[in-house]
Coordinates of all heavy atoms in Angstrom, one line a residue:
M1 N -7.5 -5.9 18.4 CA -6.3 -6.2 17.9 C -5.2 -5.5 18.6 O -5.4 -4.3 18.8 CB -6.2 -5.9 16.4 CG -4.9 -5.9 15.8 SD -5.0 -5.6 14.0 CE -6.5 -4.8 13.7
S2 N -4.1 -6.1 18.8 CA -3.0 -5.4 19.5 C -2.0 -4.8 18.6 O -1.7 -5.4 17.5 CB -2.3 -6.5 20.4 OG -1.0 -6.0 20.8
R3 N -1.6 -3.6 18.8 CA -0.6 -3.0 18.0 C 0.7 -3.6 18.2 O 1.7 -3.4 17.5 CB -0.5 -1.5 18.4 CG -1.7 -0.7 18.0 CD -1.5 0.7 18.3 NE -2.7 1.5 17.9 CZ -2.6 2.5 17.1 NH1 -1.5 3.0 16.7 NH2 -3.7 3.2 16.7
D4 N 0.9 -4.5 19.2 CA 2.1 -5.2 19.4 C 2.3 -6.4 18.5 O 3.4 -7.0 18.4 CB 2.1 -5.8 20.9 CG 2.1 -4.7 21.9 OD1 2.6 -3.5 21.5 OD2 1.6 -4.9 23.0
D5 N 1.3 -6.7 17.7 CA 1.4 -7.9 16.7 C 1.3 -7.4 15.3 O 0.1 -7.3 14.7 CB 0.2 -8.8 17.1 CG 0.4 -10.1 16.3 OD1 1.2 -10.2 15.4 OD2 -0.4 -11.0 16.5
P6 N 2.3 -6.9 14.7 CA 2.3 -6.3 13.4 C 1.7 -7.3 12.3 O 1.0 -6.9 11.4 CB 3.7 -5.9 13.1 CG 4.5 -6.4 14.2 CD 3.7 -6.9 15.3
A8 N -0.6 -9.6 12.6 CA -2.1 -9.6 12.7 C -2.6 -8.3 12.2 O -3.6 -8.3 11.5 CB -2.5 -9.8 14.2
A9 N -1.9 -7.2 12.5 CA -2.4 -5.9 11.9 C -2.3 -5.9 10.4 O -3.2 -5.5 9.7 CB -1.6 -4.8 12.5
T51 N -4.2 2.5 11.9 CA -3.8 1.0 11.8 C -2.6 0.6 12.7 O -2.6 -0.6 13.0 CB -3.4 0.7 10.3 OG1 -2.2 1.5 10.0 CG2 -4.5 1.0 9.3

Side-chain angles (χ1 to χ4, degrees):
M1 166 180 20
S2 169
R3 288 180 180 234
D4 297 333
D5 188 354
T51 64

